[in-house]
Amino acid sequence: MREYTYSPHVDFFIEYVGYETNYEMSTFHTHHKYEIYYEVEGTRRYFIEDAAYIVNAGSVIMIGENQIHKTGSVGDGPSSRIVCNFSAEYLQEIVDAFPELDFFTFLGQEENHLLSNITVKQQNYVYSVLQQMIAIQGEEPESHAARKMLLATLLLQLQKMCETQKELGGDNGRVTNRIVDQIQSYIAEHYAEKLTLTGIASQFYISPYYLSRLFKKTINLSLIEYINGVRIKAAQSLIEKTNDSISTVAEKAGFMTSAHFRRVFKDATGLSPQQYRQYFKRMNKGN
């Protein structure tokens, strides 16, 4: 799955994944693809950008391009889900045929990350379409066309469900904590500086132990994982918008060494910083 999720030249991937016991994704990651995640069984905690969500069976998670995300377990029971990754280019022919429709923007909007307020009938519809896409195994033109049309139709229906959920109001499913929110804001302002668990804890007059437990419990990430995520996003922006050397990017993003930066960056994106820059340049030429 990692190969298909990260590979820039692979525009579509879908897989059913099941675990008998709790499973922790080893690290956050990001990719130039959108993601639809359907929880078939069990409960997960899903971290997206600077927020965490509790995902129960029948719920849908939607993620935009380049949004950092990671899942974690809740309890020790079994869980299963369907994960679908796709690029905007994958549906280019359909998008061109219907220029008045926006198939993608809603996927990356914070209020739409968790779609949980939907009926059993709607849950079954989403599950059925995803299963149909899994079942289409062929590589002939007819199979490609069927998958693309199923995906495009699913996106339109998900967008309607998001609009209905917004109209109904209520909780958006985000797990919040006032202290954690304040710490996230502090990290956003100071990520380029040297940050430590002890130093941040002292800023908020709490113990390092309490900070560590609170952060992990609220958003399912350790403090260092979260800081690295913020720094990787900053590094991506620098790589895309400047001609700074990789070592300069690492320093500006707050990493102490270039070696550590390269390792964390590749874990998160599937590409080295230099490969990411080359890929981004190719993408821009194509546009």
Side-chain angles (χ1 to χ4, degrees):
M1 180 177 179
R2 179 184 178 86
E3 175 186 352
Y4 285 94
T5 300
Y6 290 126
S7 291
H9 61 281
V10 177
D11 288 328
F12 177 84
F13 175 74
I14 187 168
E15 184 180 59
Y16 178 97
V17 186
Y19 296 95
E20 291 299 322
T21 58
N22 63 330
Y23 164 73
E24 292 285 343
M25 186 177 287
S26 60
T27 182
F28 57 83
H29 66 276
T30 180
H31 40 70
H32 278 294
K33 297 184 180 75
Y34 299 95
E35 182 168 310
I36 297 172
Y37 173 110
Y38 180 82
E39 190 72 19
V40 179
E41 176 190 16
T43 300
R44 303 282 291 171
R45 190 187 298 263
Y46 213 119
F47 170 78
I48 308 170
E49 295 285 285
D50 62 349
Y53 303 84
I54 296 298
V55 187
N56 295 307
S59 296
V60 184
I61 283 284
M62 291 164 286
I63 302 171
E65 288 183 306
N66 296 318
Q67 292 187 317
I68 281 186
H69 52 283
K70 175 183 183 287
T71 69
S73 61
V74 176
D76 297 321
S79 65
S80 58
R81 56 266 194 201
I82 297 176
V83 180
C84 179
N85 298 115
F86 56 94
S87 67
E89 290 76 16
Y90 182 69
L91 294 179
Q92 195 61 56
E93 299 97 334
I94 295 177
V95 171
D96 290 343
F98 301 95
E100 70 279 9
L101 298 179
D102 182 351
F103 287 87
F104 307 114
T105 300
F106 79 99
L107 294 166
Q109 295 172 341
E110 182 177 341
E111 64 269 22
N112 296 333
H113 282 322
L114 175 62
L115 185 58
S116 58
N117 190 13
I118 56 177
T119 66
V120 173
K121 183 177 180 180
Q122 289 171 323
Q123 293 174 11
N124 290 337
Y125 166 77
V126 174
Y127 186 41
S128 173
V129 173
L130 292 172
Q131 284 183 311
Q132 289 177 62
M133 286 194 286
I134 291 175
I136 300 173
Q137 299 292 334
E139 293 301 321
E140 61 275 5
E142 292 84 355
S143 297
H144 284 294
R147 276 192 295 264
K148 290 180 180 182
M149 287 188 284
L150 282 169
L151 178 58
T153 303
L154 176 60
L155 288 173
L156 293 177
Q157 292 303 314
L158 287 173
Q159 191 167 13
K160 289 183 180 179
M161 293 179 199
C162 288
E163 291 170 356
T164 301
Q165 179 171 265
K166 186 176 181 180
E167 291 171 1
L168 293 174
D171 189 4
N172 66 1
R174 176 173 176 168
V175 180
T176 60
N177 179 280
R178 181 179 58 83
I179 296 176
V180 171
D181 288 344
Q182 292 174 354
I183 292 170
Q184 288 175 311
S185 297
Y186 178 83
I187 292 170
E189 294 179 13
H190 300 277
Y191 67 84
E193 305 168 16
K194 183 178 180 180
L195 296 175
T196 65
L197 175 64
T198 302
I200 295 175
S202 67
Q203 289 288 330
F204 292 88
Y205 305 101
I206 56 178
S207 73
Y209 175 78
Y210 177 72
L211 169 57
S212 180
R213 289 286 302 274
L214 179 64
F215 216 83
K216 184 71 174 179
K217 180 180 179 181
T218 303
I219 66 173
N220 204 48
L221 289 175
S222 69
L223 184 67
I224 189 60
E225 283 181 306
Y226 181 79
I227 292 172
N228 281 342
V230 173
R231 287 171 171 167
I232 288 299
K233 292 291 289 184
Q236 285 180 296
S237 179
L238 288 168
I239 290 172
E240 294 171 5
K241 297 176 182 178
T242 74
N243 292 317
D244 290 344
S245 67
I246 299 304
S247 59
T248 300
V249 169
E251 182 180 355
K252 287 184 177 180
F255 290 93
M256 295 299 103
T257 68
S258 294
H260 181 233
F261 166 60
R262 293 172 192 273
R263 184 171 63 254
V264 174
F265 191 93
K266 188 165 187 177
D267 282 343
T269 68
L271 300 171
S272 70
Q274 192 59 45
Q275 289 172 329
Y276 184 88
R277 173 166 278 164
Q278 293 169 353
Y279 172 58
F280 185 77
K281 287 180 178 178
R282 287 198 300 271
M283 284 185 61
N284 282 347
K285 285 181 181 179
N287 294 331

